[in-house]
């Protein structure tokens, strides 16, 4: 599934502010305040481990970058410690804008689309700087679970629900009004024709979802 990753790197200056706002709102609204990790998220993860025997995913953009670029995807306690240590080192070496640019160019938006520019082209046939708020809010919600939230996988309800979560977060962070968020949510999105041919798309997407959940 990820054999032929499609990268289309862009510099931060080419990415519209609304894309940055949406990404930060849904993924890490205190990105410019922390030093690579958030204590509240760490306590939540420890609680989940102690009471539910679950290892929660990374909560900051820096941690997600480290996990995707420098570490394996295994979900173990030792890897979480490595992730934390490397996140602190990355924060000391790079500026916040550099980290955000690296993140937006290296995060998966589903299938072979890695990075926001590749995602914009895959889903809407546009460059990232051509996206409107409706398209932006749909893409911003994908990285946490691409196979679950992708509107191309016949998950229309899940995709729209996730889009609304993004728009709500943008509203909470005071980047858009509630009226504009509601108007944006109601807009009908037009997706680019998909070039990949799959003989049994429903079965393939079922397997994709299982693989992502397990690995």
């Amino acid at each position: 599934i990820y054999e032929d990753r499609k990268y289309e790197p862009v510099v931060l200056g080419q990415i519209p502010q609304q894309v940055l706002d949406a990404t930060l709102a849904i993924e890490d609204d205190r990105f410019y305040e922390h030093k690579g990790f958030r204590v509240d998220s760490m306590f939540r993860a420890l609680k989940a481990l102690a009471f539910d025997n679950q290892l929660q995913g990374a909560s900051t953009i820096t941690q997600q970058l480290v996990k995707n670029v420098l570490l394996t995807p295994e979900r173990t306690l030792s890897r979480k410690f490595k992730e934390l240590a490397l996140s602190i080192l990355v924060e000391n070496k790079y500026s916040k804008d550099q980290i955000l640019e690296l993140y937006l160019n290296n995060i998966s938006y589903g299938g072979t689309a890695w990075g926001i520019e590749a995602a914009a082209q895959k889903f809407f046939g546009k460059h990232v700087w051509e996206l409107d708020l409706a398209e932006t809010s749909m893409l911003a919600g994908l990285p946490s679970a691409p196979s679950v939230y992708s509107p191309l996988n016949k998950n229309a309800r899940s995709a729209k629900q996730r889009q609304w979560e993004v728009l709500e977060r943008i509203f909470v962070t005071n980047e858009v009004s509630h009226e504009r968020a509601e108007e944006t949510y109601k807009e009908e999105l037009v997706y680019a024709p998909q070039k990949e041919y799959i003989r049994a798309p429903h079965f393939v997407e079922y397997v994709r979802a299982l693989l992502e959940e397990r690995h």
Side-chain angles (χ1 to χ4, degrees), residues 114-179:
W114 284 72
I116 187 64
E117 171 66 3
Q121 293 184 23
K122 173 183 174 65
F123 286 88
F124 299 109
K126 297 181 176 182
H127 293 293
V128 63
W129 52 87
E130 298 173 323
L131 297 174
D132 60 28
L133 183 58
E135 295 161 341
T136 293
S137 57
M138 180 60 74
L139 291 184
L142 295 181
S144 63
S147 66
V148 175
Y149 298 127
S150 174
L152 303 181
N153 295 348
K154 309 302 181 183
N155 296 330
R157 181 177 297 179
S158 296
K160 289 298 289 183
Q161 185 176 29
R162 182 60 172 172
Q163 182 193 22
W164 177 246
E165 289 176 5
V166 174
L167 289 168
E168 275 193 319
R169 287 301 307 162
I170 300 175
F171 164 69
V172 169
T173 55
N174 300 317
E175 303 301 339
V176 299
S177 66
H178 196 269
E179 181 181 8

Side-chain angles (χ1 to χ4, degrees), residues 11-49:
V11 298
L12 198 64
Q14 293 176 290
I15 303 175
Q17 188 62 44
Q18 68 177 10
V19 175
L20 304 181
D21 292 340
T23 299
L24 294 174
I26 194 65
E27 293 292 342
D28 189 357
D29 60 354
R30 291 170 57 189
F31 172 69
Y32 282 96
E33 301 172 20
H34 62 67
K35 299 297 182 181
F37 65 93
R38 291 175 56 169
V39 176
D40 57 339
S41 298
M42 291 177 61
F43 277 118
R44 185 172 63 249
L46 288 172
K47 181 181 178 182
L49 179 63

Side-chain angles (χ1 to χ4, degrees), residues 42-83:
M42 291 177 61
F43 277 118
R44 185 172 63 249
L46 288 172
K47 181 181 178 182
L49 179 63
F51 294 99
D52 301 320
N53 197 30
Q54 293 181 350
L55 281 171
Q56 293 191 351
S59 58
T60 71
I61 279 177
T62 309
Q63 287 174 282
Q64 292 182 55
L65 174 64
V66 165
K67 180 180 69 174
N68 281 280
V69 176
L70 301 177
L71 296 174
T72 62
E74 61 177 336
R75 296 174 67 84
T76 63
L77 191 58
S78 62
R79 193 201 62 79
K80 291 294 292 183
F81 281 121
K82 292 176 184 177
E83 178 186 301

Side-chain angles (χ1 to χ4, degrees), residues 92 94 99 170 214:
N92 288 332
Y94 299 101
I99 293 171
I170 300 175
R214 297 180 184 180

